[in-house]
């Protein structure tokens, strides 16, 4: 029992590395020793449990704490991320993504080129989405608490693809739009954080929005989520020129039943 | 060896830089110059950056100051909330006990170093005020035959309720001072309070100025604790008292294990959830482990020239109050 407890308290590390003497508190230095990727913070099972509970509570209490939603995703998603990663490996485009590890940020996007693309193309619509909603791809927090570096990339990719999903689904970044996208992602990825977000997000909605959400938006999101292939398998960076409508057809995504900009 | 006074020698010694250190020291710094090891460094004539600890990491001395500054800059706004959460409010009791030990009286000149958010300073002012009020009550009760006019005059008197007491809050970090000033404004503390930006290793005050020097939960973050102690000795008046409230070593093995568990498993998580900052709170719990235990710290205080050095452990040794006198 005592050894089990001690194991739960040690930060997770690679199995081959030698362990320090028991009960000596350990922290990997910032010089990269013991870290699997630059922002990695090794955590024990107990710490992950506490983080999951704390971040869930804080995210509900203060919905502006996006970092808490991210932490919740990282601490609860281990098994699901593995399944997602395996799914990506089986798909040719997904496998390419895993190998090349593209990142979406202002420094990697060629905004000038996106601007020059024809109207209706995916790249142009994505840029319009960023402008209209005044968001930037750089606000995504880096992964910290995932103890496997490939899975850390998978969750990072999932976060960076989130804005693409907004564009493809035609959802704005207000709270209703976010919940709809969360439902879509919950069905698509099965991440516990998405499921929890989808179930508990609507708690703060007005009655009217809630009604629209439940009667039309959720069924639409769930249907599309089931029909579409795994969205993480799309190499979005290679599809900027593809017309948005063609992309939506490829994924089997229908236009939204309600215009959300009037609501909320 | 003679006390050197040129800036160049500071360069050779590779000491951590802080803005205060950029001007040359005056010749009268006999007590601030540590002996032996520095002598060897001077002779070798090369800039050596000695290493020190930053939590469980090893960093150069120059780096440490900046890193600590960064930590407190980012925790300043949530500092008080986090203190309450992490210690479950017990830190208030510890600070009250420090004041009780200090037992200041009207006219005391206090220097509170690393006192950024003002907890000790406000308690000091409250203590003096409470004393003053008790004294007034006693006086009134004793004088039973006063006329109404005289009694009314007593209540209206503009007599300085602090009796000349003054607290100088000194901190190296601007953000912490900012938070402290905001608190003072919000809680209505004005008289007898001053805020100064300064480095504990090189205080911007003359010799023999203060009656009491206090440092609560600050000295473990100082890069050169011995220098801070020497500065404390310098600025105190003869007869002045040095008081330090700091995390120390737990003396009970069971409590120690629970404390370690709580420190390393819960506190960084709390920091992440409440303040969005894991690393600062990881540094906090590690820096506590790096601080010398009670006896060793007592010896360091004695080395700086203090006498009658004693310590009192609180809460099984989680914190300790060290006290010394400049005689």
């Amino acid at each position: 029992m005592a050894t089990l407890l001690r194991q739960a308290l040690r930060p997770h590390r690679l199995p081959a590395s030698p362990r320090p003497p028991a009960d000596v508190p350990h922290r990997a230095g910032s010089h990269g020793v013991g870290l699997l990727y630059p922002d990695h913070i090794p955590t024990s099972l107990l710490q992950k449990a506490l983080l999951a509970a704390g971040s869930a509570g804080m995210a509900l209490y203060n919905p502006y704490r996006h970092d808490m939603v991210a932490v919740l995703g990282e601490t609860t998603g281990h098994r699901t991320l593995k399944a997602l990663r395996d799914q990506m490996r089986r798909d040719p485009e997904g496998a390419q993504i895993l190998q090349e590890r593209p990142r979406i940020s202002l420094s990697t996007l060629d905004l000038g080129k996106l601007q020059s693309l024809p109207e209706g193309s995916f790249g142009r619509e994505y840029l319009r989405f960023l402008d209209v909603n005044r968001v930037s791809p750089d606000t995504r927090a880096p992964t910290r608490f995932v103890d496997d570096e490939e899975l850390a990339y998978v969750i990072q990719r999932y976060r960076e693809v989130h804005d693409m999903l907004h564009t493809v689904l035609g959802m704005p970044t207000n709270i209703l739009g976010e919940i709809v996208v969360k439902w879509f992602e919950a069905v698509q990825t099965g991440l516990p954080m998405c499921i929890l977000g989808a179930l508990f997000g609507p708690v703060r909605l007005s009655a009217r929005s809630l009604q629209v959400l439940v009667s039309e938006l959720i069924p639409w999101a769930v249907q599309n989520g089931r029909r579409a292939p795994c969205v993480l398998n799309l190499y979005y960076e290679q599809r900027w020129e593809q017309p948005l409508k063609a992309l939506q057809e490829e994924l089997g995504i229908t236009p939204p039943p309600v215009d959300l900009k009037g609501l909320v | 060896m003679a006390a050197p006074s040129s800036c160049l020698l500071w360069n050779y010694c590779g000491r951590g830089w802080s803005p205060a250190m950029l001007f040359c020291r005056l010749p009268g710094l006999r007590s601030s110059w540590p002996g032996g090891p520095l002598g060897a460094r001077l002779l070798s004539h090369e800039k050596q950056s000695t290493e020190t600890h930053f939590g469980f990491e090893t960093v150069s001395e120059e780096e440490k100051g900046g890193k600590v500054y960064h930590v407190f800059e980012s925790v300043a706004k949530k500092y008080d909330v986090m203190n309450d959460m992490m210690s479950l409010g017990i830190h208030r009791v510890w600070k009250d006990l420090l004041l009780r030990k200090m037992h200041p009286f009207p006219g005391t000149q206090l220097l509170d170093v690393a006192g950024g958010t003002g907890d000790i300073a406000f308690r000091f002012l409250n203590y003096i005020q409470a004393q003053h009020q008790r004294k007034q009550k006693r006086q009134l009760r004793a004088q039973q035959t006063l006329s109404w006019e005289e009694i009314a005059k007593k209540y209206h008197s503009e007599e300085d309720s602090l009796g000349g007491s003054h607290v100088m809050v000194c901190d190296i970090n601007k953000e912490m001072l900012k938070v402290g000033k905001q608190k003072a404004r919000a809680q209505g503390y004005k008289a007898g309070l001053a805020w100064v930006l300064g480095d504990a290793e090189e205080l911007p005050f003359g010799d023999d100025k203060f009656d009491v020097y206090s440092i609560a939960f600050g000295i473990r973050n100082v890069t050169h604790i011995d220098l801070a102690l020497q500065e404390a000795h310098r600025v105190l008046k003869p007869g002045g008292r040095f008081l330090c409230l700091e995390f120390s070593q737990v003396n009970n093995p069971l409590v120690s294990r629970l404390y370690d568990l709580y420190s390393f498993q819960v506190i960084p998580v709390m920091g992440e959830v409440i303040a969005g900052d894991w690393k600062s709170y990881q540094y906090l719990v590690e820096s506590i482990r790096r601080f010398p235990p009670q006896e060793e710290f007592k010896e360091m205080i004695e080395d700086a020239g203090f006498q009658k050095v004693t310590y009192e452990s609180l809460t099984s040794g989680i914190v300790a109050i060290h006290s010394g006198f400049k005689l």
Side-chain angles (χ1 to χ4, degrees), chain B residues 191-225:
Chain B
L193 187 57
W195 306 86
V196 175
L197 188 70
D199 183 349
E201 295 181 16
E202 189 148 339
L203 291 170
F205 306 110
D207 299 359
D208 305 337
K209 284 272 181 305
F210 298 97
D211 296 309
V212 184
Y213 172 110
S214 70
I215 183 165
F217 301 118
I219 205 161
R220 74 173 188 285
N221 297 306
V222 173
T223 312
H224 302 106
I225 298 177

Side-chain angles (χ1 to χ4, degrees), chain B residues 69 72-73 76-77 79 112-118 121-122 168-185 193-199:
Chain B
Y69 191 93
F72 283 93
E73 200 177 33
K77 293 208 174 71
Y79 187 72
D112 182 32
V113 178
T117 54
F122 301 153
M168 184 85 78
V169 181
C170 178
D171 200 289
I172 198 174
N173 194 298
K174 287 200 194 103
E175 290 300 313
M176 295 290 281
L177 280 178
K178 218 196 295 188
V179 172
K181 284 192 207 167
Q182 279 169 351
K183 270 170 69 181
R185 247 183 319 218
L193 187 57
W195 306 86
V196 175
L197 188 70
D199 183 349

Side-chain angles (χ1 to χ4, degrees), chain B residues 238-251:
Chain B
R241 189 174 195 184
F242 167 86
L243 279 167
C244 172
L245 173 65
E246 189 54 82
F247 288 108
S248 204
Q249 203 172 56
V250 177
N251 41 38

Side-chain angles (χ1 to χ4, degrees), chain A residues 19-72:
Chain A
R19 289 190 181 282
D23 298 337
V24 170
H26 161 87
R27 174 166 73 89
S30 67
H31 310 286
V33 176
L35 299 182
L36 300 168
Y37 47 91
D39 291 293
H40 187 209
I41 297 177
T43 42
S44 66
L45 198 59
L46 177 61
Q47 282 175 321
K48 286 204 177 62
L50 291 171
L51 267 177
S55 60
M58 185 52 99
L60 272 177
Y61 175 71
N62 182 354
Y64 291 101
R65 291 288 303 269
H66 300 296
D67 58 324
M68 288 290 102
V69 179
V71 168
L72 182 61

Side-chain angles (χ1 to χ4, degrees), chain B residues 16-36:
Chain B
W17 287 109
S18 68
M21 283 185 181
L22 287 174
F23 56 84
C24 295
R25 295 297 301 274
L26 298 165
L29 48 68
R30 17 88 240 173
S31 59
S32 311
W33 199 261

Side-chain angles (χ1 to χ4, degrees), chain A residues 133-148:
Chain A
N133 290 279
R134 284 181 294 221
V135 291
S136 147
D138 283 347
T139 51
R140 303 279 160 219
T143 316
R144 279 172 302 161
F145 302 110
V146 178
D147 291 328
D148 176 312

Side-chain angles (χ1 to χ4, degrees), chain A residues 122 162-171 184 220 231 234 236 244 247-248 251 253-256:
Chain A
F122 174 57
H162 180 82
D163 289 337
M164 313 281 175
L165 291 180
H166 269 280
T167 314
V168 167
L169 291 170
M171 289 286 125
F184 182 84
W220 171 77
V231 287
L234 295 174
Y236 295 97
L244 183 58
L247 181 59
Q248 285 170 333
L251 296 175
I253 291 178
T254 52

Side-chain angles (χ1 to χ4, degrees), chain B residues 273-316:
Chain B
V273 172
I274 298 175
D277 190 348
W278 176 286
K279 298 214 159 152
S280 295
Y281 291 91
Q282 183 79 39
Y283 163 72
L284 166 77
V285 296
E286 290 177 359
S287 67
I288 292 175
R289 297 302 177 295
R290 285 297 204 158
F291 189 71
Q294 286 90 325
E295 271 299 323
E296 201 181 313
F297 188 50
K298 172 179 171 216
E299 283 167 25
M300 288 172 77
I301 300 175
E302 282 168 348
D303 284 343
F306 289 100
Q307 298 186 23
K308 292 273 182 246
V309 181
T310 57
Y311 61 83
E312 185 188 338
S313 293
L314 304 171
T315 325
S316 302

